[in-house]
Amino acid sequence: SSSSSSSSSSSIGLTGSQQVADTCTFSRDPGIPYYWDPTCEQNQLGCFADAWHLQCRFCGAAPFDSILCPVSTEISLQPGELPIQANGAR
């Protein structure tokens, strides 16, 4: 949960073996809600969102609005951007 304001190079140590499991890894804030989906499969809509983990999945915003976000979704917003309502009809 760090707010990265540097847009130059990411100084995060990505050594593979030290990566935290079940966590999406973005070099830049995507500005789209995402979550960890262990059921993700190759070429499935929204999956492989961070280009590092197949289980990292976009949701709740076009073109991924057909994918409902779970309650614990990490919503990342660009400055000045309105929150995306990810409430499905119940």
Side-chain angles (χ1 to χ4, degrees), residues 4 19 22 51 60 66 85 89:
S4 60
Q19 291 226 347
D22 299 1
S66 63
Q85 294 300 321

Side-chain angles (χ1 to χ4, degrees), residues 39-62:
T39 67
C40 257
E41 297 175 4
Q42 195 73 36
N43 299 321
Q44 199 171 6
L45 181 66
C47 296
F48 205 56
D50 62 355
W52 284 85
H53 307 95
L54 179 62
Q55 296 85 0
C56 186
R57 190 171 200 182
F58 286 131
C59 63

Side-chain angles (χ1 to χ4, degrees), residues 11 20-21 34 41 49-50 55 59 63 68-69 73 77 79 83 85 90:
S11 58
V20 180
Y34 59 89
E41 297 175 4
D50 62 355
Q55 296 85 0
C59 63
L68 296 179
C69 296
T73 304
L77 297 173
Q85 294 300 321
R90 294 183 186 270

Side-chain angles (χ1 to χ4, degrees), residues 6-82:
S6 65
S7 58
S8 54
S9 63
S10 67
S11 58
I12 303 167
L14 299 174
T15 57
S17 61
Q18 294 179 344
Q19 291 226 347
V20 180
D22 299 1
T23 304
C24 297
T25 306
F26 289 95
S27 57
R28 262 193 308 277
D29 194 323
I32 297 176
Y34 59 89
Y35 70 105
W36 190 264
D37 184 356
T39 67
C40 257
E41 297 175 4
Q42 195 73 36
N43 299 321
Q44 199 171 6
L45 181 66
C47 296
F48 205 56
D50 62 355
W52 284 85
H53 307 95
L54 179 62
Q55 296 85 0
C56 186
R57 190 171 200 182
F58 286 131
C59 63
F64 313 106
D65 44 9
S66 63
I67 303 165
L68 296 179
C69 296
V71 177
S72 62
T73 304
E74 298 183 50
I75 299 180
S76 51
L77 297 173
Q78 299 298 336
E81 197 174 37
L82 292 175

